[in-house]
Amino acid sequence: MPVHVTDCLTVLRRQKDACLVHALREEALDQLPALVGPAGAAFVLAAGFKASPGQFVLVPDAKGKPVALFGLAPQGVRDPYQFGALARRLPAGNWQVKTPADTARQDVVLGFCLGAYTFALKSGAGTVQPDAPRLVVTETEKKSRAVETAISLWLARDLINMPANLLGPSELAHAAREALTPFGAEVTVIKGKALDKAYPLLAHVGNGSERGPRVVVARWRSSKASKKAPVISLVGKGVCFDSGGYDIKPSGGMLRMKKDMGGAASVLALARLIMAQNLPVQLELRLGCVENSVSGHAMRPLDVVTSRAGLTVEIGNTDAEGRLVLCDLLAEAGESNPDLLLDMATLTGAARVALGPDLPALFCNDNTLAQTLIEVSEAEADPLWRLPLWQGYAGWLRSPVADLNNISSRPMAGAVTAGLFLERFVKAGQQWAHIDTYGWNDSSRPGKPEGGDSPGVRAIFATLEKLFGSQNGAVS
């Protein structure tokens, strides 16, 4: 399998050495004789090729060299993932993809790279397979935003897919340091008594495991940014495995709980992309890296803990641990008064019931920001869907003994009440967005292999670029 994104790409001195993929739509079928010759055109039409989206066929050219035909999504529909099918269906060789003028080249490169992703821990894995196709690119494209995006998303996928015995809180913190320090970020990993004092609710979750919790705090300033540049603060839930604690999950509910650090993986991918693209901002990143275990020192139902913000929280359910991991980090992030605070978390099953696996739920306390995120997500073919921070449900989090409970008193609107819980730890007036994501593909589709994934990262980056890409805080 490719061991790095660039292993599925190649730069050729002579373009004629590459095999061709002609990507076309049904209205261009009359071009087939010019593309593959009259005999080839007759063959593929007889075989049922109609250039419908995703349709694929191989045919020899006049010299016996393979040529691929690939059906595109309808005109006006952006879908970079469709090109991921080519990374799986093309035979070994170097392939140049020809598309209509209205298809962005970056979508071809990004989609192919995302489709080439695989994860395996089998003996012999980790070497480039000789039968893997490679996309022909230029030297510039090999260093492009599309490739950097793919590298960032591969990083997140690798982390989410890693079994929990190989990726605990310490390993996740180490991975964050390894990803961020090459870009000049200052990375601090907090543990032990310092963590217990600074993040009491997070510690209450993580100290139930023999693998103690870690908090990653990273800071970075773009070479294009002055000290007055916008401050972006990212927070991620990094629960490396979630047993549910004493409110233990059924066995079937634990089967994918290695992915419960998907929020941390996603914001790490986002942070890496911000740095790789040198967005003219100041960046802060906080990851809460814990394991939610059952033990003699694990948190118990009805425990009451005082948070960093001073609010007391009653533990109504130990399986609602993600919001406990996030709330101290959100409170600390607000102390810097960032221009934007954003968190990502695999937080609630309720969001998945409402929206399914493909649509991360967006909660936001600013209508203008929310509208921008939604519009950009649609343009990027990386959709988000807004759900309300409905204040009418805030009373459902009341506790008779504490300032609030970590779960709702009613079995409804679980994603909304989780968002409302987090909002209690966000400073008044702070612009904030919360993304409740699934972080997983249940089945393989073009560009989206089964396993860990980070939907929303591209949309959020493009939003940040739109909002802060040309700020006055940039260094002239």
Side-chain angles (χ1 to χ4, degrees), residues 355-373:
L355 300 177
D358 293 346
L359 293 174
L362 166 67
F363 295 88
C364 188
N365 63 1
D366 183 284
N367 288 332
T368 301
L369 172 62
Q371 187 63 31
T372 301
L373 279 162

Side-chain angles (χ1 to χ4, degrees), residues 166-198:
L166 302 178
L167 188 81
S170 177
E171 290 81 8
L172 179 56
H174 177 75
R177 185 190 294 276
E178 291 291 301
L180 301 178
T181 52
F183 295 96
E186 297 178 1
V187 182
T188 303
V189 177
I190 304 164
K191 61 181 180 179
K193 291 183 179 180
L195 185 149
D196 293 345
K197 181 178 181 180

Side-chain angles (χ1 to χ4, degrees), residues 4-146:
H4 190 272
V5 170
T6 54
D7 290 329
C8 67
L9 306 173
T10 188
V11 178
L12 296 181
R13 292 183 178 179
R14 300 191 310 169
Q15 295 292 315
K16 66 179 182 179
D17 292 338
C19 298
L20 291 178
V21 178
H22 294 289
L24 65 161
R25 303 186 181 94
E26 184 176 1
E27 56 267 28
L29 284 177
D30 58 354
Q31 299 175 16
L32 285 177
L35 298 177
V36 297
F43 170 81
V44 297
L45 290 172
F49 183 75
K50 299 179 181 178
S52 54
Q55 195 173 15
F56 176 89
V57 66
L58 284 170
V59 62
D61 65 11
K63 298 181 179 179
K65 191 175 182 179
V67 176
L69 299 174
F70 181 65
L72 289 176
Q75 189 170 10
V77 176
R78 186 181 179 189
D79 181 14
Y81 298 106
Q82 65 185 321
F83 298 103
L86 297 176
R88 300 291 177 139
R89 302 194 67 178
L90 288 170
N94 300 320
W95 294 86
Q96 175 68 57
V97 178
K98 303 288 188 180
T99 63
D102 65 334
T103 302
R105 177 64 179 173
Q106 66 174 352
D107 285 354
V108 178
V109 177
L110 175 62
F112 190 93
C113 291
L114 294 180
Y117 175 83
T118 58
F119 180 85
L121 298 174
K122 300 176 182 178
S123 58
T127 57
V128 179
Q129 299 299 316
D131 59 348
R134 286 165 177 77
L135 178 69
V136 175
V137 296
T138 66
E139 286 286 1
T140 300
E141 287 174 339
K142 199 171 183 180
K143 302 174 183 177
S144 66
R145 170 173 167 171

Side-chain angles (χ1 to χ4, degrees), residues 109-369:
V109 177
L110 175 62
F112 190 93
C113 291
L114 294 180
Y117 175 83
T118 58
F119 180 85
L121 298 174
K122 300 176 182 178
S123 58
T127 57
V128 179
Q129 299 299 316
D131 59 348
R134 286 165 177 77
L135 178 69
V136 175
V137 296
T138 66
E139 286 286 1
T140 300
E141 287 174 339
K142 199 171 183 180
K143 302 174 183 177
S144 66
R145 170 173 167 171
V147 173
E148 289 294 345
T149 300
I151 292 172
S152 298
L153 295 178
W154 274 38
L155 167 65
R157 289 176 175 183
D158 278 348
L159 291 172
I160 298 170
N161 285 326
M162 192 65 67
N165 66 310
L166 302 178
L167 188 81
S170 177
E171 290 81 8
L172 179 56
H174 177 75
R177 185 190 294 276
E178 291 291 301
L180 301 178
T181 52
F183 295 96
E186 297 178 1
V187 182
T188 303
V189 177
I190 304 164
K191 61 181 180 179
K193 291 183 179 180
L195 185 149
D196 293 345
K197 181 178 181 180
Y199 313 100
L201 274 172
L202 186 151
H204 201 61
V205 176
N207 285 337
S209 172
E210 295 301 318
R211 303 193 293 180
R214 303 288 190 274
V215 168
V216 176
V217 179
R219 292 180 172 87
W220 172 86
R221 179 156 61 96
S222 167
S223 62
K224 298 179 181 178
S226 73
K227 293 181 180 180
K228 296 181 180 180
V231 176
I232 310 301
S233 188
L234 305 177
V235 173
K237 171 191 171 184
V239 179
C240 296
F241 189 80
D242 181 18
S243 69
Y246 278 114
D247 291 303
I248 194 166
K249 296 177 183 290
S251 58
M254 290 192 212
L255 288 177
R256 290 188 178 137
M257 283 301 100
K258 69 177 184 179
K259 79 172 183 68
D260 211 22
M261 37 63 65
S266 294
V267 296
L268 181 58
L270 176 60
R272 188 203 172 278
L273 185 56
I274 290 169
M275 295 178 186
Q277 295 304 111
N278 204 18
L279 199 66
V281 298
Q282 300 180 82
L283 180 67
E284 294 185 357
L285 172 75
R286 289 173 175 83
L287 306 180
C289 309
V290 306
E291 182 172 55
N292 188 22
S293 296
V294 181
S295 71
H297 46 277
M299 63 176 170
R300 296 158 293 267
L302 304 187
D303 283 356
V304 175
V305 183
T306 302
S307 69
R308 180 188 180 97
L311 294 172
T312 56
V313 177
E314 182 181 20
I315 310 302
N317 190 298
T318 63
D319 195 24
E321 87 297 333
R323 63 202 72 182
L324 303 176
V325 171
L326 290 173
C327 61
D328 285 335
L329 300 177
L330 289 170
E332 183 184 51
E335 294 165 12
S336 300
N337 296 311
D339 294 87
L340 174 62
L341 173 59
L342 183 141
D343 74 80
M344 297 186 75
T346 53
L347 204 63
T348 67
R352 307 287 66 78
V353 171
L355 300 177
D358 293 346
L359 293 174
L362 166 67
F363 295 88
C364 188
N365 63 1
D366 183 284
N367 288 332
T368 301
L369 172 62

